[in-house]
């Protein structure tokens, strides 16, 4: 067997092994996703004719083959559940524009709820958690095209770091993005350094003894945001869901217009904005989201 033939055979075997592993990982991710709670809008909200849906995005991944390959090979459920391809995101924003959905600022939502008057019609608020480079590269230009306002929740202690396969945006990148939006991009807090799980796969801040640490983390996060952007946040988003009674009580005493959770629901005039529901956007939830806005 010639040297060239041996090399070709070796390369072929490696390709088969890599794609075999990738297929295995992909199938496991699909299976895990199928076993999780559905992200689609629950039936009890489908027929609501009035309210505000707060959409929650994470990564807006590029459509190139290398990104797709990494996504398929990765066992990280975050890359399967909490991402939207850039072309689909563009289609979703075009859908909102085409159907004349009223995309409003979060502070407008806050005023509407606190007015005590019934909300008539359907509205959307756009929010993004973590803020990695994919949001700035792929989402911000699309929202600028339609002049949609949005809120970016920042992990202030991790800016510029690599997390879960992508790089979080740096402060300078965030500030440059804000300059392109003419004030439509508002900033919120997503903890300073508490966006991680413990050994039991539970959010660290949910432990009873973390209440004091959470308060200190919140104060530090506020200071860091103001230091690097000159912006004083009036909103906070929980990583991994929502908070404890002690943390909720603490946040209710802060000067916040709203606190975002990952509890699914629609905002109405009776919503407690310290526990604002959102709808995570992915391939599973978007059909029900589009259906709600269209009907």
């Amino acid at each position: 067997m010639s040297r060239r033939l041996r090399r070709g055979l070796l390369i072929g075997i490696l390709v088969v092994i890599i794609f075999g592993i990738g297929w295995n990982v992909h199938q496991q991710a699909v299976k895990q996703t199928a076993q999780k709670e559905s992200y689609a809008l629950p039936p009890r909200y489908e027929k609501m004719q009035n309210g505000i849906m707060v959409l929650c995005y994470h990564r807006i991944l590029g459509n190139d083959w290398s990104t797709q390959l990494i996504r398929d090979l990765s066992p990280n459920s975050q890359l399967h559940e909490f991402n939207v391809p850039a072309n689909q995101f563009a289609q979703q924003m075009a859908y909102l524009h085409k159907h004349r959905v009223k995309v409003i600022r979060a502070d407008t939502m806050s005023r509407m709820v606190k007015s005590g008057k019934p909300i008539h019609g359907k509205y959307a608020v756009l929010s993004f958690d973590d803020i990695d480079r994919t949001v700035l590269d792929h989402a911000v230009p699309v929202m600028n095209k339609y002049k949609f306002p949005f809120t970016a929740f920042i992990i202030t202690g991790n800016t510029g770091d690599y997390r879960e396969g992508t790089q979080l945006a740096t402060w300078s990148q965030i500030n440059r993005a804000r300059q392109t939006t003419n004030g439509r991009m508002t900033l919120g807090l997503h903890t300073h350094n508490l966006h991680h799980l413990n050994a039991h796969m539970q959010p660290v801040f949910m432990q009873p003894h973390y209440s004091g640490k959470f308060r200190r983390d919140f104060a530090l996060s506020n200071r860091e945001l103001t230091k690097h952007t000159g912006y004083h946040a009036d909103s906070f988003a929980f990583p991994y869901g929502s908070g404890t009674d002690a943390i909720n009580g603490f946040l209710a005493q802060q000067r916040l217009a709203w606190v975002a959770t990952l509890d699914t629901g629609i905002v109405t005039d009776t919503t407690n904005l310290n526990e604002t529901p959102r709808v995570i956007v992915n391939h599973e939830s978007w059909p029900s989201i589009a259906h709600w806005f269209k009907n």
Side-chain angles (χ1 to χ4, degrees), residues 8-23 69 73:
L9 184 60
L10 180 60
I11 292 174
I13 292 172
L14 287 174
V15 169
V16 170
I17 291 173
I18 290 172
F19 277 92
I21 293 172
W23 175 254
L69 180 63
L73 290 177

Side-chain angles (χ1 to χ4, degrees), residues 169-193:
T170 64
W171 287 116
S172 60
Q173 290 164 349
I174 292 169
N175 284 326
R176 283 199 298 272
R178 285 186 68 208
Q179 291 172 4
T180 71
T181 67
N182 295 318
R184 292 186 300 274
M185 178 180 180
T186 56
L187 305 179
L189 306 177
H190 203 35
T191 77
H192 181 73
N193 194 30

Side-chain angles (χ1 to χ4, degrees), residues 177-243:
R178 285 186 68 208
Q179 291 172 4
T180 71
T181 67
N182 295 318
R184 292 186 300 274
M185 178 180 180
T186 56
L187 305 179
L189 306 177
H190 203 35
T191 77
H192 181 73
N193 194 30
L194 293 181
H195 195 300
H196 57 276
L197 304 172
N198 63 16
H200 302 288
M201 301 302 291
Q202 300 169 331
V204 290
F205 59 85
M206 292 292 284
Q207 310 310 305
H209 62 283
Y210 259 73
S211 294
K213 190 168 185 177
F214 181 90
R215 291 195 293 270
R216 292 189 293 274
D217 181 272
F218 179 86
L220 179 56
S221 186
N222 232 329
R223 290 196 300 270
E224 285 294 300
L225 184 70
T226 303
K227 172 184 174 182
H228 291 284
T229 68
Y231 191 90
H232 184 79
D234 67 349
S235 59
F236 174 88
F238 280 111
Y240 309 112
S242 56

Side-chain angles (χ1 to χ4, degrees), residues 6-285:
R6 284 199 303 271
R7 184 190 303 170
L9 184 60
L10 180 60
I11 292 174
I13 292 172
L14 287 174
V15 169
V16 170
I17 291 173
I18 290 172
F19 277 92
I21 293 172
W23 175 254
N24 240 353
V25 170
H26 178 71
Q27 290 301 101
Q28 288 175 12
V30 169
K31 185 177 180 180
Q32 288 174 2
T33 300
Q35 292 173 346
K36 290 181 180 292
E37 185 178 351
S38 172
Y39 287 101
L41 190 67
R44 65 181 179 277
Y45 298 111
E46 289 178 353
K47 295 184 179 180
M48 289 182 62
Q49 294 301 309
N50 303 290
I52 305 168
M53 183 184 289
V54 184
L55 303 181
C56 175
Y57 288 93
H58 288 77
R59 283 161 293 280
I60 309 299
L61 298 184
N63 302 306
D64 54 282
W65 69 268
S66 57
T67 301
Q68 183 65 38
L69 180 63
I70 291 172
R71 175 180 176 272
D72 287 344
L73 290 177
S74 174
N76 184 353
S77 63
Q78 293 256 331
L79 290 179
H80 299 277
E81 298 170 36
F82 298 134
N83 79 82
V84 174
N87 61 335
Q88 291 183 23
F89 178 80
Q91 292 167 5
Q92 291 168 7
M93 296 301 101
Y95 181 93
L96 297 179
H97 177 73
K98 177 182 177 181
H99 289 85
R100 298 183 179 181
V101 175
K102 290 166 275 192
V103 180
I104 60 174
R105 294 171 58 96
D107 54 5
T108 300
M109 170 184 70
S110 178
R111 288 194 297 271
M112 290 171 68
V113 173
K114 291 177 180 178
S115 73
K117 300 177 181 178
I119 295 173
H120 297 292
K122 296 180 178 181
Y123 302 82
V125 168
L126 304 179
S127 68
F128 296 79
D129 287 6
D130 307 342
I131 311 308
D132 70 351
R133 281 293 305 274
T134 70
V135 171
L136 304 190
D137 292 344
H138 304 305
V140 172
V142 176
M143 291 183 291
N144 283 345
K145 175 182 177 180
Y146 298 111
K147 295 182 170 54
F148 286 162
F150 62 99
T151 297
F153 290 107
I154 301 169
I155 311 172
T156 57
N158 293 167
T159 54
D161 293 348
Y162 280 90
R163 284 182 61 99
E164 295 154 353
T166 56
Q167 183 184 21
L168 299 185
T170 64
W171 287 116
S172 60
Q173 290 164 349
I174 292 169
N175 284 326
R176 283 199 298 272
R178 285 186 68 208
Q179 291 172 4
T180 71
T181 67
N182 295 318
R184 292 186 300 274
M185 178 180 180
T186 56
L187 305 179
L189 306 177
H190 203 35
T191 77
H192 181 73
N193 194 30
L194 293 181
H195 195 300
H196 57 276
L197 304 172
N198 63 16
H200 302 288
M201 301 302 291
Q202 300 169 331
V204 290
F205 59 85
M206 292 292 284
Q207 310 310 305
H209 62 283
Y210 259 73
S211 294
K213 190 168 185 177
F214 181 90
R215 291 195 293 270
R216 292 189 293 274
D217 181 272
F218 179 86
L220 179 56
S221 186
N222 232 329
R223 290 196 300 270
E224 285 294 300
L225 184 70
T226 303
K227 172 184 174 182
H228 291 284
T229 68
Y231 191 90
H232 184 79
D234 67 349
S235 59
F236 174 88
F238 280 111
Y240 309 112
S242 56
T244 64
D245 290 342
I247 289 175
N248 290 342
F250 165 75
L251 291 175
Q253 297 171 2
Q254 309 309 304
R255 296 180 178 179
L256 298 173
W258 64 300
V259 175
T261 71
L262 291 181
D263 298 332
T264 304
I266 304 295
V267 175
T268 70
D269 56 294
T270 63
T271 295
N272 177 4
L273 290 175
N274 288 318
E275 300 174 9
T276 305
R278 294 189 291 171
V279 180
I280 293 175
V281 184
N282 59 19
H283 69 281
E284 182 183 356
S285 64

